[in-house]
Amino acid sequence: FQAEDGIRDCLLSRGLGDVYKRQPFWRIDKPKNIQIIQEGGWHFAYLQSAENISKKIKSFAAGLSVSFFAATSLFSAECIAPANPGGGWDFTCRTITKIMYDIGAYDSPIQVTNMAGGGGGLAYGHVVNERNTDDDLIVAASSATATRLAQNAYSGMTYDQVRFLGAIGADPGVIVVAADSPYKNLNDLLDAVISDPANHAFAGGSAAGGFDHLKVLMALGKKGFTDIAKVKYIGVDGDADAITQTVGGFTSAMTGDISGVVGFIKSGDVRVLASFTDERIPGFEDIPTAKEQGIDVVAVNWRGLYTPKGASDASYKKWTEALRKVGDSAEWKKAMEANGLAPVSYTHLRA
């Protein structure tokens, strides 16, 4: 691993001993038989005698540096997903950038970086304060981004400190329970919460007060429950983390978007009690809408991208055109169908 670049996972996996792999070195207790060798700016950790392999290291280090940096140069651009892997922002970056490259809308693979924290605020601050003129950077955005900005939840930062490229898909909101949950429909769950709010909690992939939290509060409001301070909500960094809380029995339900739970639906780990849409989601017709169950709430999350405000007009035009090509592609239509998204229609993005 190379501390100077923050790349602290050991990159060697064969030929030079049993490597301490995929552990940030400062987080582990170094056993007595671990040897550390520094060569050409690289730090190597080994379980065998350093004397026996020092020559091997020196002959390999120069070639490693060249090959590693040649590999990283393949990624001329970056997409930041402001959450952990597995959620909607992660889906946005990984799916859109892959299609951009596959259809030739962008001429090289695009690196995806997960930067969780603050309901998207950590990534937003990083872009505004450290990457403001970066032409090669795009960031996943959604209704959750707009909600937190409207609430002044990003440490005083405002929407006009970045440039939004556009929205490319509408991601329906859902309420999800574990497969073995006693709640069979949305009203069962909401009635239980109203009866004993202290004994129930929701997990969501956005921060407290964010869009996932608001979906629950709106649904409860339609049942006449307005004491929102009693509603327990655990905000985590992405839909996958929220699902883990619910499947593990730590929360009664998860509130999120369909794209973040498709894999868990297919695996049978969860049941979706309701979608917050006007009509049932194509491809997921067995999921009833909240409206069908008497809860008149529509909450659909737009998915899109933004770029640094200080980036050039040429780069903004380039990314806008690339996003348009993705939106027009058969590959994106297939991805939307597989993950429950719909083309953006602002009449359907009401809450």
Side-chain angles (χ1 to χ4, degrees):
F1 53 88
Q2 189 175 39
E4 289 85 348
D5 285 346
I7 306 170
R8 296 178 173 85
D9 288 350
C10 191
L11 299 178
L12 306 182
S13 61
R14 294 181 300 172
L16 295 173
D18 296 320
V19 182
Y20 237 86
K21 294 187 294 183
R22 302 192 68 78
Q23 285 289 342
F25 188 72
W26 69 91
R27 293 183 183 173
I28 62 174
D29 295 324
K30 183 171 77 67
K32 292 181 180 179
N33 62 334
I34 283 285
Q35 303 292 328
I36 304 298
I37 293 178
Q38 181 174 355
E39 185 68 33
W42 293 84
H43 298 71
F44 302 95
Y46 298 95
L47 289 170
Q48 56 175 278
S49 169
E51 289 81 6
N52 292 340
I53 60 170
S54 59
K55 291 182 181 179
K56 217 171 184 181
I57 293 274
K58 290 180 180 179
S59 65
F60 189 78
L64 174 66
S65 296
V66 171
S67 61
F68 174 72
F69 287 110
T72 56
S73 67
L74 291 174
F75 297 104
S76 61
E78 179 183 10
C79 184
I80 293 178
N84 286 332
W89 281 329
D90 186 66
F91 164 82
T92 301
C93 269
R94 295 187 190 279
T95 306
I96 290 175
T97 58
K98 181 181 185 303
I99 294 174
M100 276 185 183
Y101 178 63
D102 287 348
I103 67 175
Y106 200 84
D107 58 7
S108 63
I110 301 169
Q111 177 181 338
V112 175
T113 301
N114 293 92
M115 188 177 292
L122 180 63
Y124 202 87
H126 173 74
V127 174
V128 170
N129 296 315
E130 300 181 37
R131 308 278 294 277
N132 185 50
T133 59
D134 194 335
D135 284 353
D136 299 314
L137 178 65
I138 53 177
V139 187
S142 66
S143 301
T145 312
T147 300
R148 300 303 281 166
L149 285 167
Q151 295 170 336
N152 195 31
Y154 284 172
S155 301
M157 290 179 286
T158 55
Y159 75 93
D160 56 356
Q161 290 181 282
V162 300
R163 298 179 75 183
F164 286 88
L165 289 171
I168 193 172
D171 198 352
V174 291
I175 296 290
V176 176
V177 296
D180 60 355
S181 170
Y183 307 114
K184 304 304 181 184
N185 57 61
L186 183 58
N187 280 294
D188 284 351
L189 174 65
L190 296 180
D191 288 342
V193 173
I194 293 169
S195 176
D196 186 10
N199 198 39
H200 297 278
F202 293 87
S206 61
F211 196 52
D212 289 335
H213 191 184
L214 292 178
K215 296 169 194 172
V216 173
L217 300 182
M218 289 189 290
L220 286 167
K222 293 295 183 179
K223 299 278 289 186
F225 186 81
T226 58
D227 195 354
I228 61 175
K230 290 184 177 179
V231 180
K232 297 170 71 173
Y233 175 83
I234 300 171
V236 293
D237 290 312
D239 286 343
D241 290 357
I243 284 282
T244 300
Q245 293 286 322
T246 299
V247 172
F250 300 104
T251 63
S252 296
M254 175 265 189
T255 165
D257 303 304
I258 190 67
S259 69
V261 302
V262 169
F264 296 95
I265 296 171
K266 292 180 178 178
S267 68
D269 290 313
V270 301
R271 287 184 289 109
V272 182
L273 298 185
S275 66
F276 291 117
T277 50
D278 282 311
E279 300 176 352
R280 295 197 178 195
I281 303 168
F284 299 86
E285 287 86 356
D286 57 333
I287 300 174
T289 68
K291 292 181 71 172
E292 289 176 44
Q293 301 175 67
I295 311 298
D296 189 8
V297 174
V298 173
V300 179
N301 200 355
W302 60 261
R303 299 262 172 222
L305 299 167
Y306 67 82
T307 63
K309 183 177 182 178
S312 67
D313 288 341
S315 73
Y316 184 80
K317 182 178 180 180
K318 173 190 68 177
W319 285 119
T320 301
E321 180 63 15
L323 187 62
R324 185 193 64 76
K325 289 179 179 179
V326 171
D328 290 341
S329 70
E331 289 84 350
W332 176 246
K333 290 177 176 62
K334 184 177 179 180
M336 286 198 298
E337 181 180 350
N339 292 278
L341 275 71
V344 174
S345 171
Y346 290 102
T347 60
H348 293 155
L349 297 183
R350 63 183 177 85

